[in-house]
């Protein structure tokens, strides 16, 4: 038990643990102090100064986010001195901010706008500093748009990119009036190390960083009578979409989402979960094949551990930062891209539609998926496999635009085929989920028995720890897999690229050895993705995680290999995992990129 | 209030041969005893902020940790200040001995001179002095070595935590305080950062004792100080003067007979108009200065002076915190707009309030002191800004 500190805030006594900041102490008294640069996921910067409070007896005001409470402090959060300063600071920020709010993509979800509204900033006191700077919007990236005219230099994005993601594509450059958030030598975003993860977007308080949105293009496709428009939805979307549409975090809205998509006018509402299950078949087989080659055939060219390849932010990260480990990457495409290829081949054939008349849309918790969809590797159907990627946020905008009263919708079901899913596919949305799904299938494939965990819940791979390790002993195997008898399968899981970097460094330097490693670019996995509702926080991600596992437990089928549509596609189309057709359509390779 | 007449003294530049002997003497004392000596001397930091040096050393000495650092802040960047350059050029060994003394007292084995980039011409001389003294230190059983680190030209790196960030290879941006460098400084270790002149004063106090030292100066401003005198003056240069004189005495000595105002303490200091010279004490009871004394005669436009300072701050703000980054731009734009009649003169009152906000809400001393020059010039020379 650490020492308790006693202080007063607005003349109310409060007792807090040593090390608690004034901001946190105020929260205990239900006093909220406005903040902009502060974010729960990031280190304290103390640079916006909006959270200043008066410490009685001190000439200068204190940044409440940065100053720890001390005994006998008398804090005032709303004195005239504080109000004057806070009002000035908001006015100053507005003077260097392109406050054309009605035209802003973030209109209605902007922390500066909210604050300005709270303080009823009417007439502008200070000179406009935006016009003279002739800002241009960086639209070079297919995922992220950067508009410096809306930037308030809080550096949340900079801290996100370096602390959470170890990428540092964004950094501060210049000083004084030239200070700004810049990419490397101001190169356009698509030429730098940006992994398109979009975590910066999730933490930008204004509209300076937003996703490239493709809402109009999708409406265009929907209303084009000559196009057959299919839509797929990723596992993590269904546990977060509700947040944009009136629900508290953690609400599962799968059925309502499907109903809404149908009302929007998509010709077929399908589920990425189907290809998540397919990924498990392909990737699980790939893992077992690699193990066999390494252990039985003594093939030294086989790279182990094998890494998952579902997260496009992670893919671009490894291309830039650890190209020497690219051979360890599973050759499986991500579920989105498997779906895209199959939609314009398997689905098109079965439905007797010319793939050139198809438009394939995906709803993703992710901004990196936008980049992934335009990769040159992703055209194995003969067309761009996925035409447009929308984030969870963009889907919510479309639902609102269409005048759909989301909360009133009756639950609906995905179309068949490519709409069936197992619980194993749903948990792809949480960190450790791909691992758990793979283990459920691989273990059973090898031993003929279910994984030895209560109710199939492989709890050691779950949770929010940055890097998780687990091992599973394989015993009494089937004859085909006798080489694995008694083996201990060692796995590791990382989420957030800073954790991925730690894990990769250990693996590269030979300090850690595993058979299978799952990496997700975003904190918490896809449920914390860069395309998910804003705001994000550890608490919100926890709620979404709980929802994901609840969804899994609620499904009748919880193992990928038991998904009947998966069995069907192998019978009718692909013949077998890692077979010729799979190779052609579902697998790919990536290449090294520059470190800067 | 105690005042002193202007008097020239000669301690800082006086050639000394016995600095090492002084160190040896201190090494026979209890460390606490010397810290008390330093506190009793009343010495306040000579960089301008005026923190009690003895107290700073005491806090660093008491800070837990085996590894501690001593940093000499030689990033002399305040406009109109050029006294540290003189010290490093003429008596570098006094600075180095002061650092070693500090290292001994607080328990640091390593010291760094953070040298202003423009002062690279001093490096050969400094390197030689360092090489010689590193040997001397060893001879008397003092484990202390000194190295040089370079600034890159940012004014804000004179702020001690920005300086430390810069030394760590990062962007020179001030840190949140607390923690202060005495507990978490360079590389997270307890660190004393003192101005060049402060270290020299410490050696002098060790040599002559606090009783003798206290004979100089006033209650709040003990000792003597180097002044960098420039502007419209009869004899610009670096002068060592006892603290506590009135600005009138100073102007009588150095002015050109037509002095309209003196900017005391550089761009971050205060502008004093002629009518306030007699009542203004140069020191902590009046207006403190890191040494910069800029004299303006009646040919100078105070609008231009203020414009110049604001341009300086607009560029030299690190840009990190909003009151300073945007505030500087708005103050500058504001006076230009008033001058051009784009804004009416009451707008200056709004700007004065903004300057007050910058004083209380900025993250570091830079932003907090922009308002000093602004407010004092507007208060005293409002008509020159408007018309």
């Amino acid at each position: 038990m650490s020492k308790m500190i006693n202080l007063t805030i607005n003349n109310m006594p409060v007792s807090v643990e040593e090390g608690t900041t004034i901001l946190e102490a105020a929260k205990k008294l239900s006093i909220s102090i406005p903040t902009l640069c502060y974010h729960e996921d990031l280190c304290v910067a103390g640079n916006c100064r909006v959270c200043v409070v008066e410490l009685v007896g001190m000439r200068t005001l204190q940044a409440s986010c940065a100053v720890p409470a001390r005994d006998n402090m008398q804090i005032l959060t709303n004195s005239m001195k504080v109000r004057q300063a806070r009002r000035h600071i908001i006015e100053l920020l507005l003077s260097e901010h392109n406050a054309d709010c009605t035209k802003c993509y973030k209109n209605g979800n902007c922390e500066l706008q909210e604050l300005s509204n709270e303080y009823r900033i009417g007439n502008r006191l200070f000179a406009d500093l935006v016009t003279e700077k002739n800002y241009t919007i960086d639209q070079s990236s297919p995922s992220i748009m950067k508009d410096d005219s809306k930037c308030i230099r809080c550096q949340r994005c900079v801290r996100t990119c370096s602390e959470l993601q170890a990428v540092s594509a964004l950094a501060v450059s210049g000083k004084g009036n030239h200070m700004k958030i810049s990419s490397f030598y101001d190169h356009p975003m698509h030429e730098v190390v940006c992994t398109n993860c979009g975590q910066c977007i999730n933490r930008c308080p204004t509209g300076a960083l937003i996703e490239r949105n493709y809402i109009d293009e999708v409406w265009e496709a929907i209303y084009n009578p000559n196009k057959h428009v299919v839509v797929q939805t990723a596992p993590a979307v269904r546990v977060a979409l509700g947040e944009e549409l009136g629900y508290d975090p953690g609400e599962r809205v799968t059925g309502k989402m499907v109903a809404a998509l149908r009302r929007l006018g998509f010709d077929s509402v399908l589920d990425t979960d189907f290809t998540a299950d397919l990924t498990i078949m392909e990737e699980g087989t790939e893992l077992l094949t690699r193990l066999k080659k390494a252990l039985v055939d003594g093939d030294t060219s086989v790279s182990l551990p094998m890494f998952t390849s579902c997260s496009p932010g992670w893919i671009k990260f490894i291309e830039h930062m650890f190209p020497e480990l690219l051979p360890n990457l599973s050759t499986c495409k991500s579920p989105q891209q498997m779906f895209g290829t199959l939609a314009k081949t398997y689905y098109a054939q079965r439905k007797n539609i010319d793939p050139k008349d198809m438009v394939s849309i995906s709803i993703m918790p992710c901004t990196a998926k936008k980049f992934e969809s335009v990769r040159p590797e992703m055209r194995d159907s003969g067309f761009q496999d996925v035409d447009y990627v929308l984030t969870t946020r963009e889907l919510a905008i479309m639902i609102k635009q269409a005048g759909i009263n989301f909360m009133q919708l009756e639950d609906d079901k995905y179309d068949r085929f490519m709409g069936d899913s197992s619980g194993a596919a749903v948990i792809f949305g949480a960190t450790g989920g791909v691992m758990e799904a793979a283990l459920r299938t691989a273990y059973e494939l090898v031993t003929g028995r279910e994984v030895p965990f209560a109710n199939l819940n492989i709890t050691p791979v779950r949770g929010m720890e940055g890097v998780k390790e687990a091992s599973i002993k394989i015993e009494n195997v089937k004859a085909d897999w006798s080489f694995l008898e008694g083996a201990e399968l060692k796995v590791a899981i990382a989420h957030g690229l800073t954790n991925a970097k730690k894990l990769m460094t250990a693996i590269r330097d030979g300090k850690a050895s595993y058979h299978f490693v799952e990496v997700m670019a975003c904190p918490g996995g896809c449920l914390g993705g860069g395309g998910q509702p804003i705001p994000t926080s550890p608490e919100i991600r926890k709620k979404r995680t709980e929802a994901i596992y609840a969804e899994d437990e609620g499904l009748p089928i919880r193992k990928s290999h038991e998904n009947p549509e998966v069995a069907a596609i192998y019978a009718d189309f692909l013949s077998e995992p890692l077979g010729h057709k799979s190779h052609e359509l579902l697998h790919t390779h990536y290449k090294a990129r520059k470190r800067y | 209030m105690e005042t002193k007449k202007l008097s020239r003294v000669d301690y800082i530049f006086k050639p000394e041969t016995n600095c090492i002997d002084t160190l040896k003497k201190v090494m026979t004392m209890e460390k606490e005893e010397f810290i008390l000596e330093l506190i009793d001397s009343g010495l306040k930091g000579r960089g301008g902020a005026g923190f009690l040096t003895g107290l700073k050393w005491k806090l660093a000495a008491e800070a837990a940790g085996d590894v501690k650092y001593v940093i000499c802040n030689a990033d002399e960047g305040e406009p109109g200040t050029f006294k540290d350059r003189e010290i490093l050029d003429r008596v570098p060994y006094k600075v180095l001995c002061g650092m070693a003394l500090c290292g001994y007292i607080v328990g640091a084995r390593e010291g760094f001179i953070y040298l202003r980039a423009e002062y690279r011409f001093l490096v050969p001389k400094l390197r030689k002095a360092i090489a010689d003294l590193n040997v001397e230190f060893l001879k008397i059983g003092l484990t202390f070595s000194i190295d040089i680190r370079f600034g890159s030209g940012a004014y804000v790196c004179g702020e001690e935590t920005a300086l430390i960030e810069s030394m760590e290879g990062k962007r020179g941006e001030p840190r949140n305080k607390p923690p202060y460098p005495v507990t978490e400084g360079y590389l997270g270790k307890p660190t004393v950062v003192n101005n060049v002149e402060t270290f020299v004063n410490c050696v002098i106090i060790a040599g002559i004792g606090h009783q003798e030292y206290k004979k100089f100066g006033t209650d709040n401003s003990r000792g003597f100080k180097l002044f960098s005198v420039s502007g419209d003056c009869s004899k610009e240069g670096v002068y060592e003067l006892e603290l506590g004189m009135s600005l009138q005495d100073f102007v009588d000595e150095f002015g050109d007979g037509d002095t309209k105002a003196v900017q005391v303490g550089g761009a971050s200091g205060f502008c004093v108009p002629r009518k306030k010279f007699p009542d203004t004490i140069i020191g902590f009871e009046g207006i403190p200065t890191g040494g910069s004394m800029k004299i303006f005669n009646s040919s100078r436009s105070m609008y231009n002076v203020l414009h110049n300072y604001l341009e300086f701050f607009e560029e030299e703000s690190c840009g990190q915190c909003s009151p300073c980054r945007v505030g500087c731009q708005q103050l500058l734009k504001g006076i230009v707009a008033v001058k051009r009649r784009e804004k009416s003169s009451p707008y200056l009152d709004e700007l004065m309030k903004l300057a007050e906000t910058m004083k209380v809400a900025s993250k570091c001393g830079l932003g907090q002191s922009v308002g000093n020059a602004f407010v004092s010039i507007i208060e005293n020379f409002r008509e020159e800004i408007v018309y």
Side-chain angles (χ1 to χ4, degrees):
Chain A
M1 183 79 186
S2 64
K3 191 182 159 228
M4 294 307 278
I5 302 284
N6 295 299
L7 69 159
T8 70
I9 302 180
N10 299 345
N11 302 313
M12 292 181 274
V14 62
S15 187
V16 293
E17 272 184 37
E18 192 172 22
T20 308
T21 62
I22 297 171
L23 181 72
E24 291 160 344
K27 254 180 216 156
K28 268 189 97 171
L29 289 171
S30 304
I31 298 169
S32 58
I33 299 172
T35 55
L36 282 173
C37 67
Y38 173 82
H39 195 284
E40 271 185 86
D41 289 328
L42 306 171
C43 81
V44 168
N47 61 26
C48 77
R49 315 303 286 176
V50 161
C51 74
V52 286
V53 293
E54 184 171 348
L55 169 54
V56 175
M58 281 281 276
R59 185 184 63 83
T60 54
L61 300 174
Q62 308 292 308
S64 60
C65 70
V67 176
R70 286 191 307 276
D71 268 325
N72 305 319
M73 271 182 165
Q74 287 174 266
I75 300 292
L76 300 174
T77 68
N78 196 39
S79 65
M80 283 312 285
K81 193 172 167 184
V82 170
R83 289 183 54 81
Q84 160 101 319
R86 198 172 283 159
R87 197 182 174 83
H88 267 143
I89 292 165
I90 299 167
E91 298 232 24
L92 289 174
L93 290 171
L94 285 169
S95 77
E96 65 167 1
H97 175 77
N98 170 5
D100 209 349
C101 293
T102 53
K103 291 186 196 158
C104 182
Y105 188 67
K106 286 285 287 293
N107 189 8
N109 190 0
C110 167
E111 293 175 46
L112 182 61
Q113 189 183 42
E114 224 170 278
L115 208 51
S116 161
N117 184 34
E118 213 170 280
Y119 274 74
R120 288 293 186 271
I121 306 286
N123 287 336
R124 289 302 180 69
L125 191 54
F126 301 122
D128 162 42
L129 301 175
V130 182
T131 319
E132 64 184 39
K133 293 203 172 156
N134 291 323
Y135 291 110
T136 51
I137 303 173
D138 184 346
Q139 309 196 55
S140 64
S141 156
S143 297
I144 295 173
M145 296 214 300
K146 179 169 174 280
D147 181 353
D148 291 346
S149 76
K150 295 184 181 150
C151 174
I152 58 166
R153 281 85 165 158
C154 67
Q155 301 190 33
R156 277 194 197 169
C157 57
V158 172
R159 283 174 282 151
T160 300
C161 204
S162 67
E163 289 169 26
L164 298 182
Q165 301 298 66
V167 172
S168 294
L170 294 172
V172 178
S173 75
K175 64 179 170 29
N177 51 339
H178 297 293
M179 181 269 200
K180 65 170 191 169
I181 310 306
S182 169
S183 52
F184 182 72
Y185 275 96
D186 252 338
H187 285 316
M189 289 293 281
H190 75 298
E191 286 179 13
V192 297
V193 290
C194 173
T195 63
N196 304 302
C197 73
Q199 288 300 314
C200 54
I201 297 176
N202 284 4
R203 288 171 186 77
C204 179
T206 69
L209 287 160
I210 57 171
E211 68 260 30
R212 268 289 286 283
N213 79 77
Y214 299 93
I215 296 170
D216 290 339
E217 286 85 344
V218 172
W219 279 125
E220 199 80 38
I222 288 174
Y223 282 101
N224 184 336
N226 303 319
K227 295 290 182 190
H228 182 88
V229 188
V230 296
V231 64
Q232 55 166 318
T233 63
V237 177
R238 64 205 69 187
V239 297
L241 178 67
E243 292 166 38
E244 293 274 354
L245 298 163
Y247 288 101
D248 286 335
E251 189 76 29
R252 291 184 277 147
V253 295
T254 318
K256 287 185 168 42
M257 175 180 71
V258 173
L261 287 165
R262 198 154 280 136
R263 286 204 186 187
L264 290 178
F266 289 102
D267 295 307
S268 200
V269 181
L270 303 172
D271 201 350
T272 316
D273 284 14
F274 163 70
T275 38
D277 280 331
L278 199 59
T279 300
I280 290 303
M281 301 306 291
E282 294 291 324
E283 203 162 274
T285 312
E286 185 183 357
L287 175 65
L288 292 171
T289 309
R290 284 199 195 201
L291 289 174
K292 181 167 186 293
K293 278 186 182 163
L295 301 176
V296 181
D297 311 339
D299 184 345
T300 50
S301 71
V302 174
S303 298
L304 284 171
M306 188 176 89
F307 304 152
T308 60
S309 57
C310 311
S311 166
W314 151 238
I315 298 289
K316 191 150 183 275
F317 181 81
I318 189 174
E319 286 179 324
H320 283 292
M321 312 287 183
F322 293 92
E324 67 276 26
L325 295 178
L326 277 171
N328 294 57
L329 207 57
S330 160
T331 58
C332 287
K333 287 182 187 174
S334 71
Q336 164 179 279
Q337 292 306 140
M338 285 195 185
F339 195 102
T341 324
L342 292 175
K344 291 192 180 178
T345 54
Y346 176 57
Y347 176 94
Q349 286 167 26
R350 291 276 298 262
K351 292 268 183 177
N352 211 6
I353 303 168
D354 187 339
K356 81 169 169 30
D357 295 329
M358 279 183 76
V359 180
S360 171
I361 313 290
S362 70
I363 314 291
M364 293 284 142
C366 181
T367 48
K369 291 276 176 202
K370 291 172 186 272
F371 168 80
E372 185 185 36
S373 73
V374 298
R375 272 179 176 270
E377 296 94 338
M378 302 303 169
R379 305 179 66 90
D380 287 333
S381 65
F383 304 89
Q384 182 172 318
D385 294 334
V386 174
D387 294 288
Y388 300 108
V389 178
L390 302 181
T391 60
T392 310
R393 298 186 290 262
E394 289 167 86
L395 173 59
I397 292 170
M398 288 185 71
I399 291 171
K400 288 180 196 162
Q401 286 177 352
I404 296 169
N405 190 339
F406 190 76
M407 292 171 104
Q408 306 289 314
L409 290 175
E410 294 282 332
D411 283 1
D412 205 343
K413 284 195 156 43
Y414 285 102
D415 287 313
R416 310 293 291 271
F417 51 107
M418 292 176 61
D420 253 356
S421 115
S422 74
V426 171
I427 58 173
F428 264 56
T431 169
V434 176
M435 182 59 70
E436 181 164 349
L439 291 177
R440 283 183 194 171
T441 288
Y443 189 88
E444 198 165 321
L445 197 64
V446 170
T447 65
R449 302 183 309 277
E450 287 190 340
V451 281
F453 290 90
N455 200 18
L456 294 177
N457 296 336
I458 309 182
T459 44
V461 301
R462 297 184 180 184
M464 284 298 170
E465 209 179 309
V467 176
K468 290 164 286 194
E469 289 178 315
S471 65
I472 185 167
K473 187 105 175 167
I474 302 176
E475 284 168 315
N476 302 325
V477 299
K478 293 207 253 181
D480 286 354
W481 303 100
S482 57
F483 69 96
L484 285 173
E485 181 62 43
E488 195 168 5
L489 189 68
K490 284 160 72 180
V491 301
I493 297 122
H495 61 115
L497 293 171
T498 298
N499 295 318
K501 184 180 174 182
K502 276 184 214 154
L503 188 56
M504 288 306 123
T505 308
I507 290 169
R508 183 195 59 196
D509 299 345
K511 290 184 179 139
S513 91
Y514 309 101
H515 299 105
F516 191 30
V517 172
E518 177 204 296
V519 181
M520 292 293 160
C522 293
C526 304
L527 58 90
Q532 292 283 61
I534 298 169
T536 184
S537 70
E539 183 60 29
I540 290 173
R541 295 194 293 274
K542 188 168 157 262
K543 291 263 169 58
R544 293 178 190 160
T545 309
E546 287 162 8
I548 288 247
Y549 287 116
E551 183 93 356
D552 166 35
E553 294 223 36
L555 284 171
I557 298 169
R558 297 186 55 212
K559 292 175 275 187
S560 298
H561 56 279
E562 291 178 357
N563 181 337
E565 289 194 334
V566 168
I569 195 173
Y570 282 115
D572 302 347
F573 187 70
L574 293 170
S575 25
E576 57 174 349
L578 287 190
H580 177 69
K581 200 134 199 168
S582 286
H583 259 298
E584 209 172 273
L585 299 177
L586 307 183
H587 292 258
T588 189
H589 285 96
Y590 298 104
K591 58 181 190 305
R593 290 173 193 266
K594 284 189 294 192
R595 177 64 186 79
Y596 53 86
Chain B
M1 191 162 37
E2 193 186 1
T3 58
K4 288 283 172 94
K5 294 308 282 179
L6 183 142
S7 74
R8 303 271 295 264
V9 289
D10 183 21
Y11 275 96
I12 287 175
F13 292 124
K14 189 167 75 180
E16 293 280 357
T17 47
N18 58 353
C19 279
I20 290 292
D21 292 338
T22 304
L23 280 181
K24 266 161 78 178
K25 186 180 89 183
V26 173
M27 287 168 73
T28 63
M29 294 166 73
E30 290 293 326
K31 291 177 181 178
E32 293 75 17
E33 200 185 333
F34 183 76
I35 287 174
L36 275 180
E37 177 87 9
L38 206 52
I39 291 174
D40 287 343
S41 77
L43 173 66
K44 291 180 179 174
R46 295 302 194 223
F51 192 79
L52 208 57
T53 306
L55 186 57
K56 191 183 270 188
W57 288 24
K58 182 172 190 282
L59 292 169
E62 288 167 357
D66 290 340
V67 180
K68 299 180 186 180
Y69 297 102
V70 174
I71 295 172
C72 171
N73 184 346
D75 193 46
E76 188 171 43
E78 189 61 50
T81 315
F82 38 86
K83 45 115 189 158
D84 292 339
R85 182 183 67 191
E86 247 353 73
I87 296 175
L88 291 168
D89 195 26
R90 287 163 61 183
V91 286
Y93 55 92
K94 288 196 187 178
V95 181
L96 303 177
C97 286
M99 292 172 70
L101 176 63
C102 179
Y104 171 74
I105 295 296
V106 305
R109 288 179 295 273
E110 243 180 303
F112 299 95
I113 298 175
Y114 186 86
L115 191 67
R116 181 186 165 136
E118 291 85 344
Y119 289 178
R120 276 179 189 267
F121 69 95
L122 292 171
V123 170
K125 191 176 267 183
L126 279 174
R127 289 240 188 266
K128 166 113 184 34
I130 289 169
D132 292 348
L133 279 172
N134 278 344
V135 175
E136 293 292 323
F137 295 155
L138 276 179
K139 272 193 209 157
I140 60 167
L142 188 59
T143 316
F144 191 76
S145 66
I146 297 173
D147 203 352
I148 305 175
R149 295 290 170 85
F150 296 98
S152 299
Y155 169 73
V156 73
C157 288
E159 197 279 344
E160 58 182 1
T161 58
L163 181 154
I164 289 170
E165 288 282 298
S166 158
M167 271 184 57
E168 291 178 358
K170 296 182 227 154
R171 210 181 128 76
E173 284 183 351
R175 295 176 178 173
N176 288 305
K177 287 178 276 190
Y180 292 91
V182 283
T183 52
E184 275 178 52
Y186 180 56
L187 303 177
K189 306 292 182 195
T191 304
V192 173
V193 185
N194 275 143
N195 173 261
V196 175
E197 188 182 347
T198 309
F199 282 120
V200 176
N201 271 274
C202 294
V203 175
I204 292 167
I205 292 164
I208 65 176
H210 79 277
Q211 294 292 1
E212 185 66 20
Y213 187 81
K214 274 176 79 171
K215 289 179 185 162
F216 297 94
T218 59
D219 281 347
N220 267 329
S221 312
R222 287 287 161 215
F224 27 78
K225 164 114 206 52
L226 290 182
F227 290 86
S228 312
V229 184
S230 66
D232 301 313
C233 56
S234 50
K235 39 186 177 185
E236 66 271 341
V238 176
Y239 297 88
E240 187 176 358
L241 305 172
E242 184 175 359
L243 282 167
M245 77 202 116
S246 76
L247 191 52
Q248 186 67 58
D249 279 4
F250 180 86
V251 169
D252 289 346
E253 177 77 16
F254 296 103
D256 65 356
D258 182 27
T259 303
K260 167 162 94 172
V262 179
Q263 179 75 17
V264 182
S268 63
F270 294 84
C271 184
V272 185
R274 182 186 293 144
K275 64 174 187 284
K276 293 183 183 166
F277 289 168
D279 300 327
T280 303
I281 307 291
I282 303 171
F284 293 101
E285 41 277 277
I287 298 186
T289 171
S292 173
M293 302 294 284
K294 212 165 223 178
I295 302 175
F296 300 111
N297 69 17
S298 59
S299 73
R300 303 290 165 184
S301 149
M302 297 313 287
Y303 172 81
N304 287 346
V305 169
L306 181 57
H307 191 277
N308 187 294
Y309 285 151
L310 290 175
E311 268 186 335
F312 173 78
F313 282 125
E314 182 195 50
E315 191 179 322
E316 291 299 342
S317 163
C318 76
Q320 176 189 193
C321 85
S322 11
C324 179
R325 177 187 67 250
V326 198
C328 290
Q329 296 176 63
Q330 290 297 354
L331 293 182
L332 177 60
K333 281 214 160 9
I335 63 161
V336 171
V338 169
K339 195 71 169 177
R340 289 184 184 157
R341 298 283 182 276
E342 290 161 9
K343 291 266 189 190
S344 59
S345 67
Y347 188 57
L348 289 179
D349 301 324
E350 291 295 340
L351 295 179
M352 293 278 270
K353 287 187 207 156
L354 171 60
E356 194 51 43
T357 290
M358 292 169 70
K359 279 188 185 185
V360 296
S362 295
K363 187 168 179 174
C364 82
L366 193 164
Q368 287 168 14
S369 52
V370 174
N372 296 345
F374 186 85
V375 171
S376 56
I377 291 178
I378 302 279
E379 267 177 358
N380 296 305
F381 299 97
R382 193 179 171 106
E383 68 290 349
E384 287 195 38
I385 308 301
V386 179
Y387 302 106

